[in-house]
């Protein structure tokens, strides 16, 4: 008579392990970020702090997206790098802004591909902050909302399937929802960066998007990494304002927050495996210390286990092409 648990019975063969697997990763769960540059359609520059990722002109972007779609890519998110920046980030909401142009080209070629538009000003402002800045150097909340709403509308008019505000201004989801509805985009969902921390893991992204602040930091609008109850308040506010999907950013250092959001809100939850997470895995793999593919897949299943429905990851494209997802 056995007196102990024999858990190994269900681990003895791969088919049994597959049958009882609790969390699964599918290609429809993954969103690939791309950095698109306005200057030259044929521009392609490696991002030194993010091996395997590039700044891409419009033609090069399409050349990257095509094979990824053939490999099963279902969704992507776009970040723009304009030629000219100014204090008000006007290229973010210009009709011919770089992200708007990229959206139009992608949707004309792959209409079924879900295109997410990151909605923020930091890549377009000369000071690098996510909102308008007062003469005293204070990021202004309420005056910024109108510009974020204009950006969202411009992106939706270009064909964006999902609007994703990442700025962390208070009230931006409500402002964007109202603006989209007024322009007839009632069915365009908002994936809010609802719980976005002021994280040291963003460093490589700021190289890629050329969006580092020229002064100060973003701690007055992004969240303190020590706080979890505040994250629930932020998520609740975005739900009330009309968000359709809630995102937690960064990812692996905040799996507890992903689980809290999953357990407290009945909306789809997204997680962003940010640049610093990606680059750490890449660097360790390049040094021969870890198996890149195995670690990447393990990290992604961790998001699913924590409760994420969607994952933004720079590994998406390569994993699809290699047939791992």
């Amino acid at each position: 008579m056995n007196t102990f648990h024999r858990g190994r019975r269900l681990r003895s063969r791969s088919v049994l392990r597959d049958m009882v697997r609790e969390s699964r990763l599918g290609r429809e769960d993954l969103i690939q970020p791309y950095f698109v540059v306005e200057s030259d359609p044929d521009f392609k520059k490696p991002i030194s702090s993010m091996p395997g990722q590039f700044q891409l002109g419009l033609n090069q972007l399409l050349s990257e997206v095509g094979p990824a779609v053939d490999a099963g890519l279902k969704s992507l998110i776009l970040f723009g790098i304009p030629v000219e920046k100014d204090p008000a980030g006007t290229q973010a909401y210009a009709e011919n802004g770089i992200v708007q142009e990229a959206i139009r080209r992608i949707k004309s070629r792959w209409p079924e591909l879900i295109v997410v538009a990151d909605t923020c000003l930091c890549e377009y402002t000369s000071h690098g902050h996510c909102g308008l800045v007062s003469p005293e150097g204070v990021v202004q909340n309420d005056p910024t909302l109108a510009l974020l709403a204009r950006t969202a509308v411009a992106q939706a008019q270009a064909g964006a399937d999902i609007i994703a505000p990442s700025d962390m201004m208070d009230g931006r989801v409500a402002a964007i929802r109202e603006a989209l509805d007024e322009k007839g985009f009632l069915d365009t969902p908002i994936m809010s960066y609802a719980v976005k921390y002021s994280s040291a893991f963003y460093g490589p992204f700021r190289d890629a998007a050329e969006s580092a602040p020229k002064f100060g930091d973003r701690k007055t609008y992004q969240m303190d990494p020590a706080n979890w109850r505040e994250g629930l308040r932020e998520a609740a506010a975005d739900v009330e304002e009309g968000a359709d999907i809630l995102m937690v950013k960064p990812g692996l250092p905040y799996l507890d927050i992903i689980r809290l959001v999953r357990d407290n809100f009945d909306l789809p939850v997204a997680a962003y495996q940010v640049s610093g997470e990606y680059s750490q895995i890449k660097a360790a793999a390049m040094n021969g210390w870890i198996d890149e593919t195995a670690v990447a897949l393990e990290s992604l299943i961790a998001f699913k286990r924590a409760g994420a429905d969607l994952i933004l990851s720079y590994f998406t494209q390569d994993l699809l092409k290699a047939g791992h997802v």
Side-chain angles (χ1 to χ4, degrees):
M1 185 79 177
N2 291 330
T3 58
F4 52 85
H5 172 62
R6 291 192 179 273
R8 292 180 58 186
R9 286 175 179 150
L10 297 179
R11 301 177 203 139
S12 60
R13 297 164 58 196
S14 62
V15 65
L16 281 173
R17 294 192 296 272
D18 289 344
M19 287 175 64
V20 299
R21 181 162 292 148
E22 299 172 24
S23 303
R24 298 183 184 275
L25 182 69
R27 57 186 58 181
E28 65 278 359
D29 304 328
L30 299 174
I31 302 172
Q32 170 72 39
Y34 290 100
F35 300 95
V36 57
V37 177
E38 184 178 25
S39 57
D40 176 1
D42 294 313
F43 183 86
K44 184 174 184 178
K45 178 184 176 182
I47 300 165
S48 60
S49 58
M50 297 179 68
Q53 303 300 307
F54 302 87
Q55 291 180 333
L56 301 164
L58 285 169
N59 292 342
Q60 289 294 328
L61 174 66
L62 299 182
S63 296
E64 286 286 311
V65 172
V69 172
D70 292 341
L73 182 70
K74 302 297 183 183
S75 180
L76 59 81
I77 185 168
L78 295 172
F79 299 93
I81 305 167
V83 171
E84 295 183 3
K85 302 187 179 191
D86 58 53
T90 55
Q91 287 303 303
Y93 40 90
E95 182 181 354
N96 62 346
I98 182 58
V99 164
Q100 284 78 280
E101 287 294 327
I103 294 168
R104 280 189 281 267
R105 294 200 186 192
I106 290 170
K107 293 300 292 185
S108 67
R109 187 168 299 188
W110 301 285
E112 297 304 314
L113 184 64
I114 296 298
V115 177
V116 183
D118 178 79
T119 306
C120 194
L121 302 182
C122 63
E123 297 134 64
Y124 307 91
T125 54
S126 51
H127 46 73
H129 279 285
C130 301
L132 294 173
V133 175
S134 72
E136 297 76 28
V138 177
V139 178
Q140 299 178 295
N141 191 94
D142 293 15
T144 299
L145 300 182
L147 301 186
L148 293 169
R150 287 181 64 183
T151 302
V153 169
Q155 293 167 337
Q157 289 173 333
D161 298 288
I162 298 175
I163 300 300
S166 61
D167 55 285
M168 286 301 284
M169 298 296 117
D170 296 336
R172 90 270 203 216
V173 172
I176 289 171
R177 184 74 270 160
E178 181 179 3
L180 289 173
D181 291 353
E182 285 181 355
K183 294 296 184 179
F185 296 103
L186 283 78
D187 294 328
T188 299
I190 296 173
M191 178 169 66
S192 72
Y193 289 64
V195 188
K196 181 178 179 180
Y197 287 89
S198 180
S199 172
F201 283 86
Y202 301 151
F205 175 93
R206 292 174 183 174
D207 292 339
E210 299 180 9
S211 62
K214 296 296 188 293
F215 65 90
D217 53 42
R218 293 178 177 149
K219 292 181 180 179
T220 64
Y221 43 104
Q222 295 177 359
M223 288 178 49
D224 183 341
N227 295 354
W228 64 269
R229 293 192 302 272
E230 182 184 12
L232 293 179
R233 293 196 297 272
E234 290 287 351
D238 283 6
V239 171
E240 185 175 351
E241 291 177 24
D244 301 282
I245 302 169
L246 299 173
M247 188 194 301
V248 176
K249 181 182 179 183
L252 282 178
Y254 297 87
L255 291 177
D256 59 325
I257 308 301
I258 296 171
R259 171 48 58 185
L260 283 168
V261 172
R262 169 73 288 145
D263 288 347
N264 283 274
F265 301 98
D266 191 21
L267 287 179
V269 175
Y272 200 142
Q273 185 179 47
V274 300
S275 59
E277 300 173 59
Y278 169 86
S279 295
Q280 287 182 89
I281 294 173
K282 276 286 187 178
M286 291 168 68
N287 277 284
W289 298 336
I290 60 172
D291 180 323
E292 178 184 319
T293 299
V295 171
L297 288 168
E298 187 174 338
S299 68
L300 293 174
I301 205 67
F303 293 122
K304 297 293 290 184
R305 192 179 65 246
D309 302 289
L310 305 171
I311 306 165
L312 291 73
S313 174
Y314 300 97
F315 287 111
T316 296
Q317 180 175 285
D318 289 343
L319 290 175
L320 287 170
K321 287 181 178 179
H324 294 299
V325 184

